[in-house]
Amino acid sequence: MSESTIDAHTTEFGYFDDQQKEYVITTPFTPTPWINYLGNDGFYGLISNTAGGYSFYQDPKFRRLTRYRYNSVPVDTSGRYFYLKCDDHIWSASGRPVQQQPEKYECRHGMGYSRFLVSHQEIDSELTCFVPLGEKAEVHRLILKNSGERHRKISLFSYIEWCLWNAEDDGSNFQRNLSTGEVEVEDGVIYHKTEFRERRNHYAFYSVNQPISGFDTDRECFLGPYRGVENPVSVEQGKATNSHAHGWSPIASHHLEVELAPGEERTLVFVLGYCEVAKENKWQSPGIINKAPAREMINRYKSQYDVQKALTALATHWDTLLGNFRLNSPDPKLNRSLNIWNQYQNMVTFNLSRSASFYESGIGRGMGFRDSNQDTIGFAHMVPEKVRERILDLSATQKSDGSAYHQYQPLTKKGNANIGGNFNDDPMWMVLSTVNYIKETGDFSILDEKVGFDGDVSEEPNHFEHLRRAFEHVVNNLGPHGLPLIGRADWNDCLNLNCFSEDPNESYQTTQRGKSDVAESLMIAGQFVLYGQDFVQLCIQLGKRDLAHNAQQQVDKMREAVLAHGWDGQWFLRAYNAKGEKIGSHENKEGKIFIESQGFCVMAGIGIKDGKARQALDSVEQRLATPHGIMLNQPAFSTYDKHLGEISSYPPGYKENAGIFCHNNPWIMVAEAMLGRGEKALEYFASISPAYLQHMQQQHKTEPYVYSQMIAGNDAATPGQAKNSWLTGTAAWCYYAATQYILGIKPDYAGLIITPSIPAHWPSFVVSRRFRKAHYCIEVNNPYGLGAGKVQLEIDGKAVAGNLIDYAQFSGEHHITATIVQS
Ligand code: BGC
């Protein structure tokens, strides 16, 4: 069966179309809104399968263009909507919000665009929404076609609702905001200029490339009093009111009369754009905004040919990006995951961190320090320049003692003071991101870049010094067992061992009581050994031998501390609490075993020689693995315990309290693959990866083409039910685990290392990988059914010793054969 036909039409909600790199949704009524992301360079749109969602420029909090009501009833009722009225029928070009259902509906989410195909009353519409490359605008191309035999007159209404820029203020400060909204309408273009009169040098607009019959800019006039977006009065009456918003809630709606002869087709181009103007050039005339930049932008998409060109450029862009890695394995679902959707999600999580999704409101969290560093490992092979810039941005939010702000705001690139730092795993993630970036690109110059600490430009050390201080921060913050102090929390934001909160109005993340000099983390200990070794290797590459030697001693000491105080008999402990008591031990009543320390200690190689690593992973399988993925801990905490913090606040089976927190599952996949147990690693991969879960969409609920942050665990009332889709470290980590550890194609300083750990029954697989100056076609053969072991390499037909493809020797196209043999 070819890739594009597997699963076709087999579920009640949709299917993959791999040829088009699309997920096709066949009903507006998916279990949750199934969304896509538009844009990849500053201007972004979130778009659901019925065109719900919103758009923003750079920062979803400070530059929100359109309004979205989280928590709305019914769900997902703000978006870019097109209403069609013909004879007495009214419907939407995206299936909702009008309640009358079109006869035919389909939504195709693709790489950077979403397309809606609707047919009703012999009128076909095709709406394509996308952000052209490098543009600060969302383009909505609407093609209308009369597929019947009668002459038809259609009344078409566009609709978006402006957000007053600061999304948090927009949703709370009504006493001011209901008075500030301002618009202009000129040549059929609706301009949103709220606060332009004061400190803003930017505005937004919504245009259409054909003459309009009317418009509305005031929500109440368009919808009618006490009515919703499902049945606007203007649409019902077939006539816009030409309203001008003065405060209240400004919107942009164009009204067009479209006449179509039988078989005739018309293309309309709408542009939702964002413009910045120089302060001295703000006004065209008193009170009238300078529209020159808007006109230029509108001009770029004035015809359907311009739009088609931009769409083709976008498709080529994605083909090139995805072309850096391509797998052909005996498992078509793995191919689909890695070749298309996993890489696509990597880009989205890289761009947005954990800021804006249908679960992250865009006003709370900026870019997470640990999250953003980890996201780079799924993206460095795609757009390394952006990864470089991101790492340096993160570096600039590090403090001089090596600690880091937990988050920063993308617009200002400054650390968020309201959340602060003291999440003691944060600093070492920057070693991972930097080392992974250098191994991918060979660009050591990133280490020489001058970066101030916490925005301080008076002292400008280089980026390497930032890594050194990250390393030192762990060494300088050790607890009674010589293990790293946990601070507010480590990777698990909800294991708050120094919080002791009894006040429901207090944040677990920002509250810290006492000296915090007792509670220690085995997760950070494993992380330090793992990335500490990377730091040592980096020092060696740079010829910093003394530093390497000293760092190695610290790493060795930490390994000893883990073996002396972190082994519980059958698995690694999770932590010591503020009273010095064990967490994640067989001695505990609940929370006897946790996933994070098993993943990190084994990835760091601790206990590989003496069998502890194997034992730890066997314990994970026996105690934590479920058909839906690996649970975070067991048994779940049944009651709230202030000495543990937020983790025990969740009902058992959800989130960090024994949920399947997908982000950490790939750590176990890596660990299993390192031990040569590729079959198990792939089994874990399949248990949480969307391509394998098509048969359970109703139960799973979230988008069946991307990872979710969490799947409910065995203790939950709804095991297997996912939440918080899209923005999760699962994407980067699953990609990293599968490509670098299961398939075993691992970039290193000198070249690509080939160390596969695949299911024994796979005869072979082929990866096409662009790496530095060359493009390699790597064929891995497994003729003895071993799955893992030693490899024998042939490069362009010539046998080569070892398992390294030395990149210095190659450019252009090369064919590699790697045969797995007994080690
Ligand atoms: C956060 C991560 C954190 C994880 C586990 C996620 O929501 O973005 O930073 O590591 O939760 O608590």
Side-chain angles (χ1 to χ4, degrees), residues 354 365 370-371 491-494 655-656 661 709:
R354 308 295 172 269
R365 304 210 257 177
R370 80 157 77 91
D371 295 330
W491 171 85
N492 189 336
D493 270 337
C494 300
K655 293 278 282 178
E656 279 88 341
F661 209 92
Q709 180 210 57

Side-chain angles (χ1 to χ4, degrees), residues 516-569:
S516 306
D517 57 357
V518 176
E520 298 167 297
S521 159
L522 264 304
M523 181 263 146
I524 306 181
Q527 182 202 30
F528 179 77
V529 174
L530 177 59
Y531 302 135
Q533 280 164 178
D534 281 348
F535 180 71
V536 170
Q537 287 306 316
L538 184 64
C539 293
I540 292 172
Q541 290 286 324
L542 299 174
K544 296 180 189 292
R545 300 179 59 167
D546 290 349
L547 199 52
H549 178 76
N550 294 340
Q552 185 64 56
Q553 284 185 330
Q554 299 295 347
V555 169
D556 293 343
K557 250 166 81 184
M558 186 69 77
R559 189 184 297 107
E560 291 312 312
V562 171
L563 289 169
H565 306 291
W567 181 248
D568 191 54

Side-chain angles (χ1 to χ4, degrees), residues 376-444:
T376 65
I377 65 173
F379 191 58
H381 70 291
M382 290 168 90
V383 191
E385 320 72 85
K386 282 202 183 183
V387 168
R388 187 182 207 273
E389 188 188 336
R390 174 67 50 80
I391 293 172
L392 294 173
D393 285 349
L394 288 160
S395 187
T397 67
Q398 191 187 20
K399 300 182 189 179
S400 56
D401 68 352
S403 67
Y405 279 101
H406 200 43
Q407 291 159 8
Y408 75 94
Q409 233 24 70
L411 197 67
T412 58
K413 297 194 172 173
K414 295 238 164 63
N416 286 349
N418 52 356
I419 173 131
N422 288 1
F423 295 78
N424 284 348
D425 64 313
D426 271 337
M428 284 305 280
W429 293 114
M430 204 156 66
V431 176
L432 165 69
S433 61
T434 306
V435 163
N436 186 71
Y437 166 78
I438 297 176
K439 287 181 175 173
E440 179 67 40
T441 58
D443 173 21
F444 282 91

